[in-house]
C-alpha cells in the first residue's frame, strides 16, 4: 500500500528517535529502517555482567539548553555523573580538561598567575590560527600540546595536526580553576539504566525493521510521503561528487574478574605509540559495584566503504564537497538529510535533539 506511513525514518539513532517520538505524540505513523541489528545508534548499550556497556564509545549527555534538558528528563532519569577523564602520557597521569590541576601536575604551579605566566612563555603568537596545531599552541603552549594533544589527536584523526581544523580542539575547556569537569555545560548526567530504554520509548509506536540496509531497499520510500535519512549523505547519492571522508573506530571489549580496573570511566592515552586513544570502564558511568568489570579499548581506524563512519572529517576540502551534496539534497523532494552523517557535522547529542524537534515542527504542517 502506498503511503501507509507518514514518515520513513532511515537510521534508528538519536535524531530519528526524537523525530519518531514527536511524530507519534501527534498520532503520525513512522516506519524505521535500521542497518544494524539493534536500535539506538551509537548510544546503544549492551548489558554485560550487570553493567550497561557503552559499546560504541562513551556518551555523556551534557547541555546548557534548558528545554533540551527538560525534554530528555521527560524520557529518563539522569544520575549525577560528571565526566572527568584522566590522561595517561607514557605512564604519567594528568587531569583533563586543561585546568589548574593539570598545570600543577606539569609544572608545580599553584596559582592562576604562576600557571598563566608559564603558559604565556610557551604560547605561539598568531592572530588567526589556521589549523589545529596553531590553535592548540596559541592557546595552551608547547608542553600541553606535546604531552596531551598532539599524539591523541593524530591517532584519533589519522592526520597531522596541521591538516586538521582548529575548531576540533576548541571543544575542550581550558580554565584557570581547579575544576576537572570536561564540559562547561550547566546540565550533565548519564541516563540511569543506560540509553536503550530511551530508544524503546521513542520508537514504541513505530514499526521498526532492523538488519535492513535502506540503500538496498530504496523502494521503501513508497511506503511514506516523507523520508528522513540519517545515513551518510554521499552514499545516498552513490558518491556522485566523490567520497566524503570519515573517521572510524574499532572497539576491543574485555571482561575482567576484578571489581575496579582503572578507577575512572575514561583514561585517555595521549602518547602517539599506544595504538588506542582511550580505555572506557563503563561501570563507573553508573557508579557500579558489580564484582567484575568490562573495559573497552577504542582504536581509531581509517574509514572504508564497508566500515562504520563515526566522525565526519570537517576539513575545508571535505566541507566543500559536502556543500555539493547539500545542494543536491535540497533539490530532493520529500527527503530530508539529518544527523551527524546526513548533515556531515560533528554534532553533540543536545544539538541533535534540538535539530530533530526543529525539523519535525518545520515539516509537520506540510500536507501529508
Ligand atoms: N583531545 C586531545 N587530547 C585528549 C582528548 C581530546 O587532544 O586527551 C582532542 C582531540 O583532537 C579530539 C578533540 O580534542 O579529537 C575533541 O575531543 P572530544 O573528547 O570532544 O572527542 P569525542 O569524545 O567526540 O571523541
Amino acid at each position: 500500500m502506498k503511503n501507509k506511513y507518514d514518515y520513513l525514518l532511515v537510521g534508528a539513532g538519536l535524531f530519528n528517535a526524537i523525530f519518531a517520538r514527536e511524530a507519534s505524540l501527534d498520532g503520525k505513523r513512522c516506519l524505521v529502517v535500521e542497518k544494524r541489528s539493534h536500535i539506538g545508534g551509537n548510544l546503544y548499550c549492551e548489558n554485560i555482567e550487570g553493567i550497561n556497556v557503552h559499546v560504541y564509545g562513551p556518551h555523556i549527555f551534557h547541555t546548557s539548553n534548558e528545554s533540551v534538558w527538560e525534554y530528555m528528563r521527560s524520557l529518563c532519569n539522569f544520575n549525577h555523573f560528571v565526566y572527568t577523564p584522566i590522561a595517561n602520557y607514557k605512564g604519567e597521569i594528568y587531569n583533563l580538561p586543561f585546568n589548574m590541576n593539570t598545570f600543577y601536575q606539569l609544572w608545580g604551579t599553584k596559582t592562576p598567575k604562576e600557571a598563566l605566566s608559564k603558559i604565556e612563555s610557551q604560547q605561539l603568537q598568531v592572530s588567526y590560527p589556521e589549523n589545529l596545531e596553531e590553535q592548540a599552541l596559541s592557546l595552551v603552549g608547547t608542553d600541553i600540546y606535546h604531552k596531551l594533544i598532539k599524539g591523541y589527536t593524530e591517532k584519533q584523526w589519522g592526520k597531522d595536526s596541521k591538516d586538521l581544523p582548529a575548531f576540533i580542539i576548541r571543544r575542550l575547556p581550558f580554565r584557570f580553576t581547579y575544576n576537572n569537569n570536561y564540559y562547561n555545560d550547566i546540565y550533565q548526567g548519564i541516563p540511569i539504566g543506560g540509553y536503550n530504554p530511551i530508544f524503546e520509548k521513542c520508537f514504541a509506536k513505530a514499526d521498526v525493521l532492523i538488519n535492513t540496509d535502506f540503500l538496498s531497499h530504496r523502494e521503501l520510500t513508497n511506503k511514506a510521503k516523507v523520508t528522513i535519512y540519517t545515513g551518510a549523505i554521499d552514499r545516498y547519492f552513490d558518491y556522485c561528487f566523490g567520497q566524503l571522508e570519515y573517521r572510524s573506530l574499532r572497539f576491543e571489549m574485555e571482561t575482567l574478574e576484578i571489581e575496579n580496573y582503572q578507577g575512572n570511566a575514561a583514561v585517555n592515552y595521549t602518547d602517539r605509540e599506544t595504538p588506542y586513544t582511550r580505555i572506557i570502564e563503563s561501570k563507573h558511568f553508573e557508579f557500579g559495584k558489580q564484582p567484575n568489570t568490562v573495559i573497552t579499548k577504542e582504536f581509531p581506524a581509517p574509514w572504508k566503504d564497508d566500515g562504520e563512519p563515526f566522525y565526519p572529517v570537517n576539513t575545508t576540502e571535505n566541507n566543500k564537497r559536502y556543500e555539493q551534496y547539500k545542494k543536491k539534497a535540497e533539490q530532493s523532494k520529500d527527503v530530508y538529510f539529518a544527523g551527524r552523517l546526513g548533515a556531515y557535522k560533528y554534532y553533540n547529542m543536545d544539538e541533535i535533539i534540538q535539530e530533530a524537534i526543529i525539523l519535525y515542527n518545520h515539516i509537520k504542517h506540510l500536507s501529508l
Side-chain angles (χ1 to χ4, degrees):
M1 188 174 106
K2 196 164 159 58
N3 293 352
K4 183 174 171 216
Y5 297 94
D6 296 297
Y7 300 108
L8 172 70
L9 307 180
V10 181
L14 188 58
F15 189 99
N16 276 340
I18 301 302
F19 192 98
R21 164 98 176 152
E22 291 299 288
S24 60
L25 287 174
D26 275 347
K28 303 268 169 67
R29 292 148 312 155
C30 300
L31 174 63
V32 183
V33 188
E34 169 57 51
K35 196 158 70 150
R36 289 179 177 163
S37 60
H38 58 76
I39 59 172
N42 289 342
L43 295 175
Y44 178 68
C45 297
E46 212 173 296
N47 193 293
I48 304 171
E49 302 280 335
I51 300 162
N52 293 308
V53 177
H54 294 208
V55 291
Y56 299 105
H59 285 90
I60 301 92
F61 190 81
H62 58 97
T63 188
S64 291
N65 183 318
E66 185 102 33
S67 55
V68 167
W69 179 246
E70 286 313 318
Y71 190 93
M72 281 301 278
R73 277 171 23 97
S74 73
L75 293 171
C76 67
N77 290 317
F78 282 101
N79 68 16
H80 62 281
F81 179 83
V82 173
Y83 193 48
T84 57
I86 297 287
N88 181 324
Y89 175 75
K90 302 189 177 190
E92 298 167 10
I93 296 293
Y94 296 99
N95 285 111
L96 293 171
F98 318 122
N99 74 81
M100 287 299 293
N101 290 306
T102 329
F103 310 148
Y104 176 72
Q105 291 148 354
L106 279 164
W107 310 305
T109 52
K110 295 186 182 120
T111 63
K113 193 173 167 211
E114 283 168 24
L116 188 60
S117 101
K118 190 82 193 168
I119 287 165
E120 277 174 350
S121 72
Q122 306 185 358
Q123 273 168 331
L124 176 75
Q125 300 306 320
V126 44
S127 347
Y128 297 104
E130 286 193 350
N131 56 55
L132 195 151
E133 178 170 289
E134 283 186 11
Q135 176 69 78
L137 286 172
S138 63
L139 211 60
V140 300
T142 43
D143 287 350
I144 295 180
Y145 177 64
H146 286 289
K147 289 194 166 182
L148 302 176
I149 297 177
K150 188 174 161 62
Y152 186 99
T153 296
E154 294 186 353
K155 282 192 290 192
Q156 165 73 6
W157 296 96
K159 281 188 189 298
D160 194 289
S161 295
K162 291 191 201 73
D163 299 326
L164 286 164
F167 84 87
I168 293 179
I169 204 64
R170 292 197 297 265
R171 287 171 62 85
L172 268 55
F174 170 54
R175 51 171 94 97
F176 289 85
T177 50
Y178 287 94
N179 175 2
N180 296 327
N181 186 343
Y182 199 64
Y183 303 113
N184 282 328
D185 284 319
I186 305 168
Y187 305 108
Q188 179 172 178
I190 296 283
I192 296 170
Y195 285 92
N196 298 2
I198 296 175
F199 287 87
E200 280 149 23
K201 253 186 216 165
C202 289
F203 290 131
K205 295 218 167 80
D207 289 339
V208 181
L209 293 176
I210 54 167
N211 297 314
T212 308
D213 185 356
F214 166 75
L215 294 182
S216 311
H217 295 278
R218 289 186 190 241
E219 71 283 358
L220 287 169
T221 46
N222 294 328
K223 290 191 181 280
K225 179 78 197 301
V226 170
T227 298
I228 312 294
Y229 177 85
T230 63
I233 189 167
D234 55 343
R235 188 166 174 249
Y236 180 93
F237 290 114
D238 297 320
Y239 307 105
C240 63
F241 301 119
Q243 282 197 349
L244 290 170
E245 196 181 356
Y246 302 91
R247 191 69 175 151
S248 194
L249 297 171
R250 182 173 65 78
F251 301 97
E252 274 182 18
M253 204 194 286
E254 276 173 75
T255 300
L256 305 175
E257 289 180 354
I258 52 171
E259 197 198 318
N260 185 1
Y261 173 73
Q262 61 184 17
N264 205 34
V267 177
N268 292 2
Y269 287 78
T270 56
D271 64 296
R272 187 66 207 240
E273 292 71 33
T274 306
Y276 41 86
T277 46
R278 51 190 174 190
I279 300 184
I280 303 303
E281 188 172 13
S282 286
K283 74 188 311 178
H284 296 302
F285 288 129
E286 296 187 65
F287 317 108
K289 295 273 178 281
Q290 298 84 351
N292 292 343
T293 194
V294 178
I295 60 164
T296 311
K297 289 182 180 148
E298 198 169 307
F299 297 80
W303 174 78
K304 291 186 216 78
D305 201 14
D306 54 347
E308 291 275 354
F310 277 84
Y311 297 91
V313 184
N314 290 111
T315 58
T316 313
E317 198 186 317
N318 289 330
N319 288 344
K320 258 194 213 150
R321 179 162 289 162
Y322 164 68
E323 285 304 317
Q324 293 179 283
Y325 282 112
K326 189 174 166 215
K327 266 204 195 107
K328 201 167 165 68
E330 281 161 2
Q331 288 151 16
S332 306
K333 210 171 158 292
D334 299 325
V335 187
Y336 295 86
F337 295 79
R340 253 195 198 189
L341 303 176
Y344 200 62
K345 195 163 168 213
Y346 194 174
Y347 278 128
N348 284 326
M349 287 187 267
D350 60 337
E351 297 170 297
I352 289 281
I353 292 165
Q354 210 179 2
E355 296 280 318
I357 295 171
I358 289 171
L359 181 67
Y360 178 71
N361 286 322
H362 174 66
I363 63 178
K364 74 176 177 186
H365 300 299
L366 305 179
S367 63
L368 286 169

